Amino acid sequence: MNILVINSGSSSLKYQLFKMPEKNPVCSGLAERIGIEGSFIKHTVYIRNEKYSIEETGFISNHSEALKQVLALLTQGDYAVIASPDDIAAVGHRVVHGGERFSGPTIITDEVKHQIKRLFSLAPLHNPVNYKCIEVAEQTFVRAKQIAVFDTAFHQTIPEQAYRYAIPEWYYKEYSIRVYGFHGTSHKYVSEQAINWLDKKDSKIISIHLGNGCSITAIKNGRSIDTSMGFGPLSGLMMGTRSGDIDPSVIFHLMEHSGYTLEQLSTLVNKQSGLLGVGGSSDMRDIRKMVNEGDAAAALAIKLYAYRIRKFIGAYAAVLNGIDAIIFTAGVGENDSNMREAVCSELSYLGIELDLSRNTCYKGELKEINTADSKVKILVIPTNEEYEIAHQCFGLLT
């Protein structure tokens, strides 16, 4: 069964085509820096243990344009992997916010699309993009089942004392205001890999997903019990363009004393803050270059970013009553050894000891980067949200 997985982030679009139940993809690719100068698509086809890559550069203005270019790569040229869109049995879509209604993979209907659209305001950088990609895929893969896999699903195991906010119960019952959590597909996948690596089902794991969006999750015995993102994917860690945690008084102050509208405030905390607001770019690679050139604002952005992560590790060590392992995953977590070092540098009191040599020699596969005598395992695990989505879609259809 051919299942195409579309995983659209706020400034990226990852995709993989699987011939399920095989785990290895037929092809995979990534469109990056969407809406940012330096946009590109890298497309890789796997044929008999060999891989053939194509890279296309040029400004990609939005996710709809990115997906159309991806579809051309799938069907055209020497490395076409399908003859026509009808070869695709299902398209699996990562959808960030499912609210309380969706707790598993769901075949997309008009009603499901309506519910995804209703949640735009809770995930303004993602749900609109996810929705647009669904519409484009529906028009292109007419015969395929369109399936949504929600980021919020993994966090449905969070206990009430962790998911409830300290506001009157009526707001939870009437408006479903609670912690939902996000990046659940990624946290689920890497934590399962870690549990297998540790050979320890009764485990206490902290999973740290660092991309353009960032979140950290406390996972006990394979179940999410707390996570940094909440009602929407804005709270918690500092991110590419999102502020992470901010005192609500700041919002009230700007509304009352500076006349900010709700739209302006949403733009501020979702699209103008984080690495971009403090350091001048939403891309950690740009921030690193600026730091090397002596940019003080970029250096501060790095410090803020690492500091927030360390704070949450300390908090979740308390929630879990100990730690067996911490996981670094996603774009920054997997590729930025300096950030991993900055995060781990002041956590020896928890038994977290980083091996600097192992850390800098990471080459893209599951690896233990702690010292031999570290009480806590430090793991770098490449996330594979696409396979996890395909796996869930296949299970739904078979």
Side-chain angles (χ1 to χ4, degrees):
M1 180 185 293
N2 287 329
I3 297 179
L4 175 66
V5 174
I6 296 172
N7 180 352
S8 49
S10 54
S11 63
S12 64
L13 190 150
K14 292 190 287 186
Y15 61 93
Q16 290 191 28
L17 176 62
F18 294 90
K19 190 173 182 62
M20 295 298 289
E22 295 294 324
K23 185 172 182 178
N24 294 327
V26 175
C27 71
S28 64
L30 171 65
E32 273 212 279
R33 300 176 68 91
I34 296 171
I36 307 171
E37 287 188 16
S39 307
F40 67 91
I41 296 179
K42 185 173 183 180
H43 177 77
T44 302
V45 179
Y46 306 93
I47 304 173
R48 293 186 294 275
N49 297 321
E50 297 287 341
K51 63 180 183 179
Y52 304 88
S53 295
I54 303 165
E55 187 164 328
E56 297 185 353
T57 59
F59 183 65
I60 304 171
S61 60
N62 55 49
H63 287 72
S64 178
E65 182 182 332
L67 186 53
K68 288 175 183 177
Q69 291 187 37
V70 169
L71 298 176
L73 288 167
L74 295 176
T75 57
Q76 300 173 16
D78 294 338
Y79 298 113
V81 292
I82 55 174
S84 78
D86 292 345
D87 292 339
I88 301 297
V91 181
H93 298 267
R94 175 205 178 202
V95 179
V96 166
H97 210 311
E100 284 195 308
R101 180 162 181 170
F102 302 109
S103 58
T106 305
I107 293 175
I108 296 169
T109 62
D110 287 342
E111 174 59 22
V112 171
K113 287 168 65 179
H114 173 69
Q115 294 300 323
I116 292 170
K117 200 169 185 178
R118 284 184 64 248
L119 295 166
F120 276 10
S121 63
L122 303 188
L125 296 183
H126 293 88
N127 267 37
V129 168
N130 303 151
Y131 185 90
K132 182 63 178 177
C133 288
I134 288 169
E135 289 196 317
V136 174
E138 284 177 329
Q139 295 165 7
T140 306
F141 300 102
V142 178
R143 296 188 179 180
K145 295 286 187 184
Q146 306 291 329
I147 300 172
V149 175
F150 296 91
D151 262 8
T152 46
F154 179 60
H155 300 298
Q156 291 297 306
T157 55
I158 293 175
E160 188 174 17
Q161 70 266 24
Y163 75 67
R164 283 286 299 275
Y165 290 113
I167 57 177
E169 185 180 22
W170 183 84
Y171 291 94
Y172 169 61
K173 289 186 173 179
E174 184 70 19
Y175 298 113
S176 300
I177 294 176
R178 52 159 288 178
V179 169
Y180 290 102
F182 301 92
H183 294 141
T185 306
S186 175
H187 289 300
K188 181 178 186 294
Y189 178 81
V190 298
S191 63
E192 288 174 351
Q193 300 300 303
I195 289 167
N196 289 336
W197 178 267
L198 296 169
D199 194 22
K200 184 177 172 64
K201 290 186 178 180
D202 57 339
S203 55
K204 300 173 180 179
I205 293 170
I206 296 175
S207 173
I208 310 165
H209 179 108
L210 303 177
N212 193 268
C214 302
S215 65
I216 180 168
T217 297
I219 302 167
K220 187 174 184 179
N221 304 335
R223 296 161 64 89
S224 172
I225 63 167
D226 206 349
T227 192
S228 59
M229 287 179 167
F231 184 60
L234 175 61
S235 63
L237 302 178
M238 178 178 174
M239 309 180 215
T241 64
R242 281 168 273 176
S243 64
D245 284 347
I246 186 170
D247 184 346
S249 299
V250 174
I251 304 298
F252 305 147
H253 178 83
L254 290 173
M255 290 179 71
E256 182 177 355
H257 297 286
S258 300
Y260 274 62
T261 66
L262 289 175
E263 183 178 358
Q264 287 174 319
L265 289 167
S266 178
T267 298
L268 169 64
V269 295
N270 279 295
K271 299 181 180 180
Q272 297 175 341
S273 298
L275 287 174
L276 176 64
V278 178
S281 173
S282 62
D283 193 304
M284 183 64 79
R285 291 163 294 192
D286 294 340
I287 294 289
R288 288 290 181 195
K289 291 177 183 177
M290 294 160 71
V291 170
N292 292 335
E293 293 166 358
D295 190 299
L300 175 61
I302 294 286
K303 290 179 181 179
L304 283 173
Y305 192 98
Y307 178 75
R308 291 277 185 96
I309 299 168
R310 285 200 302 273
K311 281 209 308 182
F312 269 94
I313 290 174
Y316 286 167
V319 167
L320 290 164
N321 191 24
I323 317 171
D324 293 312
I326 63 172
I327 303 167
F328 289 96
T329 194
V332 176
E334 294 170 30
N335 298 305
D336 194 325
S337 60
N338 289 324
M339 181 53 65
R340 295 195 296 265
E341 181 180 352
V343 169
C344 296
S345 63
E346 298 179 25
L347 295 176
S348 58
Y349 75 99
L350 289 174
I352 296 173
E353 301 283 357
L354 181 72
D355 185 306
L356 297 179
S357 177
R358 286 182 176 183
N359 182 43
T360 55
C361 294
Y362 175 70
K363 294 182 179 179
E365 57 188 18
L366 191 156
K367 185 175 182 180
E368 197 173 296
I369 60 171
N370 50 275
T371 62
D373 58 353
S374 178
K375 294 179 181 178
V376 175
K377 301 295 186 185
I378 307 171
L379 305 176
V380 185
I381 304 179
T383 191
N384 197 339
E385 293 170 290
E386 291 75 31
Y387 173 73
E388 181 64 33
I389 291 168
H391 178 69
Q392 292 189 37
C393 291
F394 186 65
L396 182 67
L397 296 175
T398 58

